[in-house]
Amino acid sequence: MEPDPCGVLVSLQSAERAQARPEKICILPNRGLDRTKVPIFLGTQGGSRCLACVETREGPSLQLEDVNIEDLYKGGEQATRFTFFQSSLGSAFRLEAAAYPGWFLCGPDEPQQPVRLSKESEPSAHTQFYFEQSR
């Protein structure tokens, strides 16, 4: 039986912007990669669109793609560009791009701006997030 991504609907908040309105996302594991690294897919709009890491002239970047999170769950390893490794920092988490080691999901500097990828070494990067179970 396949998991229901809406059963794991959560809110993703930047630790520095905890007062901001959280974005509801769906999470499913990537079963094709090393489970000790906690590989996950992140979907929005009920899992019908997913975060993907793509190469641009400026370096790795994020984009939302019209891909169903359940299809990624079934596909596994070939979906690396949609995968993030979740690491725990106390009650917060960091999400590293599987396709670009050393690049992390980063909260916006200003409200109403999208998340982006940031190098681990970037001093102002907001790379810690909280997961909160949706009610």
Side-chain angles (χ1 to χ4, degrees):
M1 180 175 195
E2 295 175 19
D4 176 8
C6 294
V8 290
L9 190 64
V10 298
S11 297
L12 179 65
Q13 293 180 297
S14 167
E16 294 81 6
R17 306 252 183 252
Q19 74 282 0
R21 184 172 167 231
E23 177 69 28
K24 291 191 178 187
I25 57 170
C26 295
I27 297 175
L28 281 178
N30 180 337
R31 300 176 301 167
L33 296 178
D34 181 359
R35 292 182 187 199
T36 63
K37 293 184 176 186
V38 193
I40 60 172
F41 301 118
L42 301 172
T44 63
Q45 299 175 357
S48 65
R49 301 187 80 201
C50 291
L51 272 181
C53 300
V54 296
E55 185 65 39
T56 66
R57 280 189 284 199
E58 294 81 30
S61 182
L62 285 177
Q63 68 182 29
L64 269 176
E65 293 191 13
D66 293 328
V67 175
N68 191 294
I69 195 168
E70 291 177 6
D71 293 338
L72 294 175
Y73 174 76
K74 294 172 190 172
E77 192 171 338
Q78 67 265 26
T80 302
R81 68 190 191 98
F82 292 96
T83 304
F84 295 86
F85 294 128
Q86 177 183 324
S87 59
S88 182
L89 296 167
S91 62
F93 294 92
R94 292 178 72 192
L95 299 164
E96 182 177 14
Y100 299 97
W103 287 81
F104 292 83
L105 194 64
C106 179
D109 294 326
E110 300 291 327
Q112 305 302 317
Q113 295 297 310
V115 293
R116 61 185 174 87
L117 285 179
S118 171
K119 284 187 177 181
E120 182 175 24
S121 59
E122 193 175 307
S124 65
H126 306 288
T127 60
Q128 294 183 25
F129 294 89
Y130 293 104
F131 288 140
E132 179 180 291
Q133 186 71 35
S134 180
R135 290 175 178 57

